Amino acid sequence: MKNQNGTFKDWANANVSRQIEDTVLYGYYTLYSVILFCVFFWIPFVYFYYEEKDDDDTSKCTQIKTAFKYTLGFAVICALLLLVGAFVPLNVPNNKNSTEWEKVKFLFEELGSSHGLAALSFSISSLTLIGMLAAITYTAYGMSALPLNLIKGTRSAAYERLENTEDIEEVEQHIQTIKSKSKDGRPLPSRDKRALKQFEERLRTLRKRERHLEFIENSWWTKFCGALRPLKIIWGIFFILVALLFVISLFLSNLDKALHSAGIDSGFIIFGANLSNPLNMLLPVLQTVFPLDYILITIIIMYFIFTSMAGIRNIGIWFFWVRLYKIRRGRTRPQALLFLCMILLLIVLHTSYMIYSLAPQYVMYGSQNYLIESNITYDDHKNNSALPVPKRCDADAPEDQCTVTRTYLFLHKFWFFSAAYYFGNWAFLGVFLIGLIVSCCKGKKSVIEGVDEDDSDISDDEPSVYSV
């Protein structure tokens, strides 16, 4: 709606501007409502439906009833979040001596004037807060694990098979030694019985590994991946450079907030960019050429998705110290896939704030400029003249001259969420550095990583050739 010199275009009057803002706002209402429906209704219903399906004696009708019963609890949580967000007083009545009824009436007037923005914003911000925890856990680690795993590659299947054969021979010798103690008919002591059981379990696992290694060693997919090894190294170097770019941009943005923001009570809002970072400078420039900024935003979001999936695949799905599921290609349970969808949905939701942290100028105002009066002195006439000069829009700009993006209003309706996101960014940087050190110290991954004693998701069926 504005020219590069800071003036509004001819068609951008107040009515047209309001219509465009409302259209974008209603678009966000629709998209965020779909997210709420998926998180609180659809995914829980399907999850509990599959949980009941594990029981063979359960009928379809019973499965649906039980799934609806548990989904109702999520619906109640969603309703509570909407109610709390609708009636949280962002402003206080001017009259301190107002009655309780006047205060309640003021809250309803606030709800009506915001068109439900506060209610939806509170619900989405609550989910974004959960997405922030998921991003700290999975995305931060995946940003370091994914590129380094691509660069280091996996161990040789032939070498692992040789090591596994030696382990099988060693375990068989231990079993023979223990069994030889009972050749004369004497019963084995309880200690030897426990050791024999452990060795036999270990032998079954090693023979299962042997089948997997033999299959993978002779598969065409292994040879194809070996031919792509140089390309994987190039992608790994590219991903680690992108990760460093994001980390530097996020650190500079957070440092700027720490040094120049209005404080925790404002959600660490910045009045103008004091420490510029690469992405904050690049995105407003790209916005002037449609659709370069959208292409870069899409690349950033896809990068976060890929690194998040890498983190989830390496770590698994945990509830505090209890591991719920492992993510394995072709061998993942339906419930684990639903958890994966839920986590990715919340992480992508948090990406909206992450992009703001990386490029606050772009998310707040884009490439908008506004006019300010600048005094210019002419030496010939020895007098001053005030001329309008364009300036980038920031939080200090007049409200009628710069239009704040609708997504910024959703993200920063409540200052305490913004403050939590700020501290979460520091945690994100810390986990990335820890993950980087851990990934550097770890050796190459096994070509059949995941086949171990406590892996309940691994079956004795023919292994997948795509696990390389």
Side-chain angles (χ1 to χ4, degrees):
M1 295 184 292
K2 302 193 77 173
N3 299 307
Q4 289 300 310
N5 60 6
T7 59
F8 282 94
K9 295 183 179 179
D10 296 335
W11 54 267
N13 54 45
N15 292 331
V16 174
S17 174
R18 175 57 60 183
Q19 289 176 1
I20 294 175
E21 292 175 13
D22 289 343
T23 302
V24 174
L25 189 62
Y26 293 144
Y28 276 115
Y29 278 166
T30 304
L31 295 175
Y32 282 133
S33 297
V34 170
I35 291 176
L36 290 179
F37 175 78
C38 289
V39 171
F40 289 106
F41 295 93
W42 181 246
I43 294 180
F45 175 79
V46 178
Y47 175 83
F48 290 113
Y49 178 84
Y50 273 100
E51 281 290 302
E52 290 298 313
K53 195 175 181 180
D54 290 342
D55 298 332
D56 297 332
D57 299 333
T58 307
S59 63
K60 291 280 185 182
C61 185
T62 306
Q63 289 176 227
I64 294 174
K65 285 181 180 179
T66 306
F68 266 122
K69 181 177 66 176
Y70 288 113
T71 305
L72 186 61
F74 285 85
V76 171
I77 295 174
C78 180
L80 289 176
L81 289 176
L82 290 172
L83 286 173
V84 171
F87 294 105
V88 168
L90 298 177
N91 300 311
V92 295
N94 295 328
N95 185 9
K96 295 183 178 180
N97 297 323
S98 57
T99 63
E100 292 298 322
W101 166 247
E102 289 175 341
K103 292 179 180 179
V104 173
K105 185 179 179 182
F106 176 79
L107 290 177
F108 277 99
E109 289 175 353
E110 281 281 299
L111 176 62
S113 62
S114 64
H115 303 288
L117 174 63
L120 189 58
S121 176
F122 188 88
S123 302
I124 293 299
S125 297
S126 301
L127 295 180
T128 305
L129 199 61
I130 302 174
M132 179 190 74
L133 299 177
I136 293 172
T137 305
Y138 297 114
T139 311
Y141 176 71
M143 285 174 62
S144 59
L146 175 62
L148 289 177
N149 286 340
L150 287 173
I151 293 172
K152 290 189 293 187
T154 57
R155 300 176 66 191
S156 169
Y159 182 74
E160 280 198 70
R161 191 179 175 190
L162 179 62
E163 284 185 337
N164 194 74
T165 303
E166 294 175 354
D167 291 339
I168 290 176
E169 293 175 355
E170 182 181 350
V171 171
E172 287 177 341
Q173 288 178 1
H174 283 293
I175 293 175
Q176 286 296 115
T177 302
I178 295 175
K179 286 183 176 180
S180 64
K181 296 179 181 180
S182 61
K183 281 185 178 180
D184 54 357
R186 289 182 300 173
L188 287 173
S190 57
R191 180 180 177 182
D192 288 338
K193 286 182 180 179
R194 287 194 301 268
L196 180 61
K197 186 177 180 180
Q198 292 175 356
F199 281 125
E200 288 175 344
E201 184 66 29
R202 174 66 176 163
L203 184 61
R204 281 194 294 271
T205 302
L206 290 173
R207 284 174 176 168
K208 183 166 61 175
R209 284 176 59 89
E210 178 71 17
R211 291 194 299 271
H212 281 72
L213 288 168
E214 182 181 3
F215 184 82
I216 290 175
E217 184 181 3
N218 299 323
S219 69
W220 62 268
W221 181 254
T222 305
K223 299 178 178 60
F224 179 73
C225 289
L228 293 180
R229 185 82 188 94
L231 188 61
K232 287 185 177 182
I233 295 175
I234 294 173
W235 275 110
I237 295 173
F238 171 75
F239 280 146
I240 198 65
L241 291 176
V242 173
L244 292 176
L245 173 64
F246 285 167
V247 167
I248 292 172
S249 297
L250 187 61
F251 174 76
L252 291 175
S253 178
N254 250 32
L255 184 62
D256 194 9
K257 290 179 182 180
L259 297 176
H260 307 105
S261 69
I264 190 172
D265 293 339
S266 66
F268 294 97
I269 188 173
I270 298 179
F271 295 96
N274 301 282
L275 297 176
S276 297
N277 66 69
L279 286 175
N280 196 35
M281 294 186 293
L282 180 61
L283 279 168
V285 174
L286 293 180
Q287 192 186 26
T288 59
V289 183
F290 180 84
L292 293 182
D293 59 326
Y294 291 131
I295 294 174
L296 182 56
I297 289 294
T298 304
I299 293 173
I300 292 173
I301 293 174
M302 294 305 298
Y303 175 79
F304 279 127
I305 291 175
F306 283 132
T307 53
S308 300
M309 293 182 69
I312 295 172
R313 190 173 185 274
N314 279 275
I315 299 174
I317 298 174
W318 292 72
F319 183 75
F320 292 103
W321 56 87
V322 179
R323 182 164 63 185
L324 300 178
Y325 301 104
K326 285 186 175 184
I327 304 298
R328 293 291 181 264
R329 188 176 302 170
R331 294 169 292 175
T332 306
R333 299 184 62 186
Q335 294 91 329
L337 291 176
L338 289 169
F339 261 105
L340 174 64
C341 292
M342 175 84 78
I343 292 171
L344 289 177
L345 189 64
L346 295 174
I347 288 175
V348 171
L349 201 58
H350 175 65
T351 303
S352 300
Y353 185 83
M354 184 65 72
I355 293 175
Y356 166 74
S357 300
L358 296 170
Q361 170 66 36
Y362 172 79
V363 173
M364 276 188 75
Y365 296 103
S367 59
Q368 293 181 78
N369 295 322
Y370 71 102
L371 297 176
I372 59 172
E373 298 292 334
S374 178
N375 293 324
I376 299 177
T377 304
Y378 295 95
D379 294 335
D380 298 340
H381 304 284
K382 294 183 179 181
N383 59 355
N384 295 333
S385 176
L387 292 177
V389 177
K391 182 185 176 183
R392 283 287 186 192
C393 288
D394 52 29
D396 241 352
E399 291 185 7
D400 59 339
Q401 291 295 318
C402 294
T403 305
V404 180
T405 59
R406 302 302 95 182
T407 183
Y408 179 82
L409 294 180
F410 269 100
L411 292 172
H412 296 81
K413 193 71 176 175
F414 302 92
W415 66 267
F416 41 86
F417 283 119
S418 300
Y421 300 150
Y422 165 79
F423 292 111
N425 285 340
W426 287 117
F428 185 93
L429 293 172
V431 172
F432 170 80
L433 292 176
I434 294 173
L436 187 64
I437 295 171
V438 171
S439 298
C440 289
C441 295
K442 287 176 65 176
K444 291 183 178 181
K445 292 196 306 180
S446 170
V447 74
I448 53 169
E449 185 182 12
V451 181
D452 49 32
E453 293 89 340
D454 64 343
D455 196 342
S456 59
D457 291 340
I458 297 295
S459 65
D460 289 327
D461 301 335
E462 187 178 79
S464 171
V465 297
Y466 304 106
S467 61
V468 178

